[in-house]
């Protein structure tokens, strides 16, 4: 059997190996860690071999899974592998290995098992052929995420609502794809059907990975350790990427950049929230939410292989970014809000390197991959057109929050007196090596992909370079000086809702600060809609519960009335 | 061994638990002997039913049964009340086979779980478990309405007795009574329908094979429909579900009620009630669809606000029953088969989860328990990859077809029950997973008893196995459902034909 023929089998092997790592029945921590590392390393090698072996798209034979009586043969449970999905499962394998190295020794077997179980489920979400197979894996992924979040005491209602919306949208999409639309949506054409399915899958991707307006679903993970936080968010991002890439492959999206532009709004809203937040971890979560919408928009506008590189890049830089944020948070203790950021580069050089690498990887500064990708985007548009301007500004929605988070805590005059003891901020060397390796691979991967395709035109590259440098300078200049602490910023509960407000260094910017805070508050109101719907349902439930608690004759009367109404209405 | 010449197996499926009940009474003075003998006999019952499964002819050859009836296999005559009635026929068909398998497994688990309730009156409970098993097997195998009503009444009485004999410290009476009243009411409905149908057919026989060729009175159809609704349960006739599986009931009683009672009603109605309801099929179907959809929505809303975990779970079970009702009322091969498969697949997870909740002390928790709860919820709510989904998917797919064909337009104003099912099935997962936070953050002060753990393992294992290989079970069901629906007065054939040919496994259809 040649490597090419083994292509579809390798992802199955990667899934199986990752699952084995999740189920290692060794209770001692040391041996278990070694066995899991070996298995996950094998999975990474297998995924790399799969990527090399995959040329074109292939499907495995699989087995007959679900039958719908009277509707033909059974739905097959098999894998569908293409260059994009091969790349994504490689990223999942690398992310899992990084997480294994970075997990603290006190991590329980149950937690490690659930982390790697979630990785297995994410693999299947990416390579499953039928949408229902992906849905089955997604349910396990969501359960694992839920249980991992419960390491810390947190409210999971938002997470649950978003996850059920994602699962419901996928189920409905699968039903429509199976021919349901003829009865429930009227006489629709095949194109309409594809549009419905695509729209629902995009909705599922947004809800799954915390895109605006579902961004508050990510809040429960904010208090988790860096390794777990990065792993969960990275897996959800890659799973969403797998779904979106398959949707793009399913339909003809040539010239559909207008659809992609629709996702600029969620990216913009999340970016505003990130900029307005002074809580370091929340600001990072909203930045990740913005990155998701950006990646979706990009996927709908660029070739799939290149878009897959974006998803991989955004996921692989997350361990470094999360570790850096945790270190800064630990160093500053209770004063870690944006008013206190700055001057930590000399005190925390390792964290500074990790943070800068992650920020630059996402920001797309030369020669990092996203820089080239922005150039590639611009190269498809004629200069001096509205589309060109919009595409040139689109990356700013990702770049500005990333640079703010990555650079601000470390710029400015050195500070030592406010820091926590070094043992609380130290990062083990293996962790540093692996997360930096992951960030470098992630950052450079789109560049590698683009070099194998073609390079964009020089004007586009120049525009991107100029824009990136300007943004870098602005970020550095704004974040260089630290403001005085303004007690007014933490007074209002409404402000607490979106964080304490953006801190800028100069009183001249005070108007900008206030305006942005109000804007962020208005934007975040949209995210209350799912919660309001849940409240309405609860109100209805209370009413029915009261009726149900009445004596038995109520039940008899209600039954008679219901039967009479149903049958009477039919006459 | 031929699949059609071993009728003694059918008698043994009823006889073995009946003998076991008798032996349990005789050996009640020696608890260890009684317990081991019970386990061995329950295992023997499982083996016996597996034997029936192995000789079952799938797909069935054309046999004597004609018209809209299930195809009887392993037929045998039972000379019961032979001076009044002709010999009653017992038989296996595609609609009771899964239920028989479920009955044997749940009986075994009930015996093991009974240890949790302690030694007090354990002999009586064990006798009751075997009694329920024998009577329920008689009901499932019977093709005679009078015999079915008798077996059903016996099952209800004995099961109420088992529920009543819970631990002394808990209030027991309300749970048993809450179950007994609607249980006996359902038996009464079946019995009255049997007598009515028999008198309407010149008193020749109460066998469904004989009755199906006659005109059935409308009142009998109403009684048969009420029999089904009392079993499902639908709001507002749901109280047996929300009360009888709660505080004060014996664990074995909860397991038997949660696992068996709904499938007894659904399987019984499909085999005995539906073929006799042809003349009023349209009204019955509409009633089930609309009532089921409303009930599912109401139950989900109520479940969402329950603070007590048990109440939340029991209301969720009411919501799932609404889904089954919509499937049964859709009168479509896919939807009706799906409803039966869903109902059967939910039996084990529902029984084991109800027991878990009944045991779970308010102060105990931990992440291990949270994991068990989460997995059980996935199995119970029929998410993709578990056995219930193999029924839910055809139910949703077929339900929309049937509704469209009934109203004569593609979208139709009555399509909402299917939307209600979709919404309820998705929301129920969230409603049941929400309390996992509370469970996870409690200290683990008590270890879960091994019978409960075993029940959960078996339930999840079976749900996963049937979730990934549902085809053999579906094959049992489909041919008989098709046969029953052949004479349905709905315009199914003409409207469905183009859609029936549409393949669903085309990789290009799915993203």
């Amino acid at each position: 059997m040649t490597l090419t023929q083994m292509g579809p089998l390798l992802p199955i092997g990667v899934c199986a190996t990752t699952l084995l790592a999740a189920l290692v029945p060794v209770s001692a921590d040391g041996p278990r860690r070694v066995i899991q590392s070996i298995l996950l390393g094998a999975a990474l090698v297998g995924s790399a071999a799969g990527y090399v072996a995959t040329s074109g798209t292939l499907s495995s034979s699989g087995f007959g899974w679900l039958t719908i009586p009277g509707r033909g043969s059974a739905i097959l449970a098999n894998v569908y592998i293409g260059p994009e999905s091969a790349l994504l499962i490689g990223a999942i394998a690398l992310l899992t290995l990084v997480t294994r190295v970075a997990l603290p020794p006190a991590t329980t077997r149950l937690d490690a098992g659930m982390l790697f179980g979630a990785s297995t489920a994410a693999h299947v979400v990416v390579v499953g052929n039928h949408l229902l197979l992906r849905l089955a894996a997604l349910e396990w992924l969501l359960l694992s995420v839920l249980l991992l979040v419960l390491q810390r005491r947190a409210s999971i209602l938002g997470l649950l609502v978003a996850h059920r919306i994602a699962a419901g949208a996928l189920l409905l999409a699968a039903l429509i794809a199976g021919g349901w639309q003829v009865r429930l949506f009227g006489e629709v054409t095949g194109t309409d059907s594809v549009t419905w399915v695509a729209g629902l899958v995009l909705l599922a991707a947004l809800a799954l990975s915390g895109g605006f307006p579902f961004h508050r679903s990510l809040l429960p993970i904010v208090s988790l350790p860096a390794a777990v936080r990065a792993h969960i968010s990275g897996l959800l991002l890659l799973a969403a990427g797998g779904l979106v890439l398959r949707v793009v492959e399913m339909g003809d999206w040539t010239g559909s950049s207008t659809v992609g532009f629709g996702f600029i709004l969620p990216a913009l809203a999340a970016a505003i929230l990130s900029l307005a937040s002074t809580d370091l971890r929340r600001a990072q979560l909203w930045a990740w939410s913005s990155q998701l919408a950006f990646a979706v928009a990009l996927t709908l506008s660029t070739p799939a292989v290149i878009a897959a590189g974006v998803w991989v890049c955004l996921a692989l830089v997350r361990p470094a970014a999360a570790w850096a944020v945790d270190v800064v948070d630990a160093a500053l203790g209770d004063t870690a809000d944006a008013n206190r950021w700055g001057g930590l580069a000399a005190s925390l050089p390792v964290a500074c390197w990790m943070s800068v690498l992650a920020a630059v990887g996402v920001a797309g500064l030369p020669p990092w991959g996203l820089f080239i990708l922005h150039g590639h985007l611009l190269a498809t548009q004629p200069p001096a057109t509205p589309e060109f301007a919009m595409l040139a500004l689109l990356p700013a929605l990702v770049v500005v929050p990333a640079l703010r988070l990555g650079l601000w805590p470390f710029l400015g005059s050195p500070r030592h007196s406010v820091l926590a003891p070094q043992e609380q901020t130290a990062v083990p060397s293996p962790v540093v090596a692996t997360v930096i390796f992951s960030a470098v691979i992630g950052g450079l991967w789109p560049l590698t992909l683009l070099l194998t395709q073609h390079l964009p035109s020089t004007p586009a590259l120049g525009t991107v370079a100029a824009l990136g440098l300007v943004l870098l300078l602005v970020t550095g200049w704004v974040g260089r000086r630290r403001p005085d602490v303004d007690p007014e910023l933490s007074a209002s509960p409404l402000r607490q809702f979106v964080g304490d407000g953006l801190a800028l260094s100069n009183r001249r910017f005070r108007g900008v600060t206030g305006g942005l805070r109000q804007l962020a508050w208005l934007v975040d109101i949209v995210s209350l809609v799912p919660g309001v719907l849940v409240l309405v349902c609860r109100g209805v439930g209370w009413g029915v519960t009261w009726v149900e608690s009445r004596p038995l004759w109520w039940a008899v009367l209600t039954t008679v009335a219901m039967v009479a109404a149903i049958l009477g209405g039919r006459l | 061994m031929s699949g059609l010449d071993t009728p003694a197996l059918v008698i043994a499926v009823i006889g073995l638990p009946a003998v076991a009940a008798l032996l349990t009474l005789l050996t009640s003075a020696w608890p260890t002997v009684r317990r081991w003998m019970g386990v061995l006999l329950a295992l023997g019952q499982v083996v016996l039913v597996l034997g029936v499964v192995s000789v079952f002819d799938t797909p069935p050859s054309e046999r004597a049964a004609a018209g809209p009836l299930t195809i009887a296999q392993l037929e045998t005559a039972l000379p019961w009340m032979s001076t009044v009635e002709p010999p009653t026929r017992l038989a296996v068909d595609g609609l009771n086979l899964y239920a028989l398998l479920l009955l044997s497994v749940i009986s075994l688990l009930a015996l093991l779980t009974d240890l949790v309730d302690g030694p007090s009156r354990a002999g009586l409970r064990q006798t009751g478990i075997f009694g329920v098993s024998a009577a329920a097997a008689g009901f499932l195998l019977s093709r005679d309405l009078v015999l079915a009503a008798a077996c059903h009444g016996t099952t209800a009485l004995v099961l109420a007795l088992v529920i009543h004999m819970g631990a002394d410290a808990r209030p027991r009476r309300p749970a048993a009574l809450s179950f007994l009243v609607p249980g006996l009411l359902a038996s009464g409905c079946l019995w009255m329908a049997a007598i009515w149908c028999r008198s309407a057919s010149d008193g020749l026989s109460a066998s469904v094979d004989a009755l199906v060729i006659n005109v059935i009175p409308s009142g009998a159809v109403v009684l048969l429909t009420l029999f089904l609704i009392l079993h499902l349960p639908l709001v507002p006739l749901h109280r047996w579900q929300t009360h009888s599986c709660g505080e004060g009931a014996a664990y074995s009683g909860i397991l038997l009620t949660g696992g068996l009672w709904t499938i007894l009603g659904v399987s019984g109605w499909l085999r005995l009630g539906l073929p006799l309801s042809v003349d009023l099929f349209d009204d019955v179907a509409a009633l089930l669809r609309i009532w089921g959809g409303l009930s599912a929505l109401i139950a989900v809303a109520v479940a969402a606000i329950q603070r007590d975990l048990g109440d939340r779970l029991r209301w969720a079970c009411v919501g799932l029953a609404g889904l089954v009702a919509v499937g049964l009322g859709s009168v479509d091969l896919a939807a009706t088969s799906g409803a039966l498969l869903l109902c059967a697949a939910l039996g084990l997870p529902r029984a084991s989860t109800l027991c878990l909740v009944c045991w779970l002390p308010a102060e105990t928790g931990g992440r291990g328990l949270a994991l068990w709860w989460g997995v059980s919820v996935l199995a119970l709510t029929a998410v993709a990859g578990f056995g219930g989904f193999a029924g839910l998917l055809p139910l949703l797919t077929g339900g929309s077809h049937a509704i469209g064909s009934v109203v004569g337009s593609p979208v139709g104003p009555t399509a909402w029950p299917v939307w209600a099912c979709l919404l309820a099935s998705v929301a129920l997962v969230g409603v049941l997973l929400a309390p996992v936070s509370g469970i996870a953050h409690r200290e683990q002060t008590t270890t879960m008893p091994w019978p409960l753990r075993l029940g959960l393992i078996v339930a999840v294992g079976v749900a996963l196995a049937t979730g990934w290989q549902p085809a053999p079970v579906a094959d049992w069901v489909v041919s008989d459902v098709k046969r029953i629906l052949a004479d349905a007065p709905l315009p199914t054939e003409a409207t469905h034909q183009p859609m029936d040919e549409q393949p669903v496994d085309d990789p290009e259809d799915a993203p």
Side-chain angles (χ1 to χ4, degrees), chain A residues 132-176:
Chain A
L132 288 173
L133 182 58
R134 293 176 186 235
L135 176 62
L138 187 73
E139 296 283 9
W140 280 103
L141 174 62
L142 298 182
L143 179 64
S144 304
V145 168
L146 196 68
L147 293 171
L148 285 166
V149 161
L150 292 176
Q151 283 181 27
R152 305 287 168 92
R153 190 174 291 276
S155 168
I156 56 169
L157 191 59
L159 187 67
L160 263 180
V161 171
H163 285 181
R164 292 330 298 159
I165 289 173
L170 275 190
L171 178 57
L172 186 55
L175 289 170
I176 293 171

Side-chain angles (χ1 to χ4, degrees), chain A residues 318-351:
Chain A
R318 286 188 179 183
W323 270 98
V325 162
D326 267 21
V327 170
V328 171
D329 211 30
L332 295 178
D334 293 335
T335 59
D337 63 64
N339 301 311
R340 298 280 184 183
W341 292 357
L344 299 177
S347 312
L348 305 170
V350 174

Side-chain angles (χ1 to χ4, degrees), chain A residues 59 63-78 80 108 110-111 114 128-137 139-140 143 146-157 160 164-165 167-168 171-173 175 177-187 197 201 243 246-247 250 537-545 547-552 554-556 558-559 562-563 566-567 570-571, chain B residues 235-239 242-243 282-284 286-287 289-291 294 298 301-302 304-307 312 315 332-334 337-338 367-368 370-371 374-375 378 383-386 389-390 392-394 396-401 404-406 409-412 415 418-419 422 425-427 429-431 433-434 436-437 440-442 464 467-471 474 478 495-496 499-511:
Chain A
S59 297
F63 60 91
W65 179 28
L66 292 166
T67 52
I68 301 177
R71 309 285 162 80
S73 54
I75 294 170
L76 289 177
N78 60 345
Y80 174 89
T108 63
L110 182 65
D111 286 333
M114 281 192 291
N129 189 5
H130 201 279
L131 197 53
L132 288 173
L133 182 58
R134 293 176 186 235
L135 176 62
E139 296 283 9
W140 280 103
L143 179 64
L146 196 68
L147 293 171
L148 285 166
V149 161
L150 292 176
Q151 283 181 27
R152 305 287 168 92
R153 190 174 291 276
S155 168
I156 56 169
L157 191 59
L160 263 180
R164 292 330 298 159
I165 289 173
L171 178 57
L172 186 55
L175 289 170
W180 211 41
Q181 79 286 353
V182 176
R183 293 297 173 195
L184 287 177
F185 295 109
E187 296 295 343
V197 172
V201 173
L243 291 171
R246 191 73 173 95
V247 162
M250 185 183 67
C537 290
R538 289 172 72 93
V540 173
W542 281 117
V544 178
T545 303
V547 172
E548 199 271 337
S549 66
R550 300 297 91 199
L552 193 61
W554 274 71
V556 176
T558 317
T559 305
M562 191 179 290
V563 173
I566 293 171
L567 295 182
R570 291 176 48 78
L571 296 176
Chain B
V235 174
L237 302 177
H238 61 279
R239 293 188 179 210
T242 52
H243 293 178
D282 204 1
D283 287 332
V284 171
L287 188 73
R289 272 199 317 272
I290 297 173
W291 199 342
L294 277 175
I298 290 171
V302 176
I305 59 160
Q306 300 299 314
R307 292 182 187 280
R312 191 176 279 242
W315 273 103
D332 172 272
L333 176 60
S337 308
R367 300 189 61 222
L371 178 61
V375 176
L378 293 191
V383 304
F386 286 88
F389 191 71
L392 183 64
L393 179 67
L396 292 174
T397 313
S400 60
H401 279 209
S405 64
V406 169
S409 70
V411 183
V418 183
W419 284 105
L422 181 63
S425 67
V426 172
V429 186
V431 166
L433 279 180
V436 78
S437 175
H441 289 130
R442 290 184 213 138
L464 280 172
W468 290 101
Q469 281 298 331
V478 169
T495 323
H496 288 184
M499 291 300 300
D500 286 351
E501 300 304 321
Q502 186 169 342
V504 294
D505 55 341
D506 186 356
E508 297 305 316
D509 281 350

Side-chain angles (χ1 to χ4, degrees), chain A residues 291-309:
Chain A
Q291 289 168 15
L292 169 73
F294 168 75
V296 174
L298 215 60
T299 306
L300 296 176
S301 315
T302 55
V305 175
I306 297 169

Side-chain angles (χ1 to χ4, degrees), chain A residues 193-382:
Chain A
S193 167
V194 170
T195 308
W196 273 104
V197 172
L200 286 166
V201 173
L202 291 178
L203 172 68
L206 276 186
L208 171 67
S209 195
F212 186 87
F214 306 103
H215 58 285
R216 295 186 77 82
S217 67
L218 291 177
L219 274 178
I221 73 169
V222 81
S223 58
L224 294 176
V228 181
R229 197 164 77 241
H231 188 76
I232 289 176
S233 68
L235 285 186
L236 292 177
L237 183 80
L238 290 170
L243 291 171
V244 176
L245 284 165
R246 191 73 173 95
V247 162
V248 171
E249 194 177 344
M250 185 183 67
D252 179 17
W253 298 88
T254 309
S256 61
S257 55
T258 47
V259 180
F261 288 150
F263 285 88
I264 292 177
L265 284 179
L268 177 65
I272 289 172
L273 290 175
S274 176
L275 290 173
S277 177
T278 58
D279 182 282
L280 195 54
R281 293 177 185 231
R282 280 194 181 206
Q284 188 174 58
L285 279 188
W286 304 156
W288 286 350
S289 177
S290 174
Q291 289 168 15
L292 169 73
F294 168 75
V296 174
L298 215 60
T299 306
L300 296 176
S301 315
T302 55
V305 175
I306 297 169
V310 179
W311 292 94
V312 169
C313 167
L314 295 176
L316 289 186
V317 300
R318 286 188 179 183
W323 270 98
V325 162
D326 267 21
V327 170
V328 171
D329 211 30
L332 295 178
D334 293 335
T335 59
D337 63 64
N339 301 311
R340 298 280 184 183
W341 292 357
L344 299 177
S347 312
L348 305 170
V350 174
C352 178
W353 271 110
M354 289 195 294
S355 184
V356 168
L357 276 176
V360 168
V362 171
L365 295 175
W368 296 86
L370 283 185
F371 157 73
I372 305 287
L373 190 66
H374 298 161
H376 183 86
L377 266 182
L378 289 180
T380 62
Q381 300 289 338

Side-chain angles (χ1 to χ4, degrees), chain B residues 476-501:
Chain B
W476 296 343
V477 169
V478 169
S479 55
D480 278 329
V481 171
K482 186 185 284 183
R483 198 173 176 84
I484 290 176
L485 295 180
D487 286 353
L490 299 176
T492 50
E493 291 300 322
T495 323
H496 288 184
Q497 195 59 37
M499 291 300 300
D500 286 351
E501 300 304 321

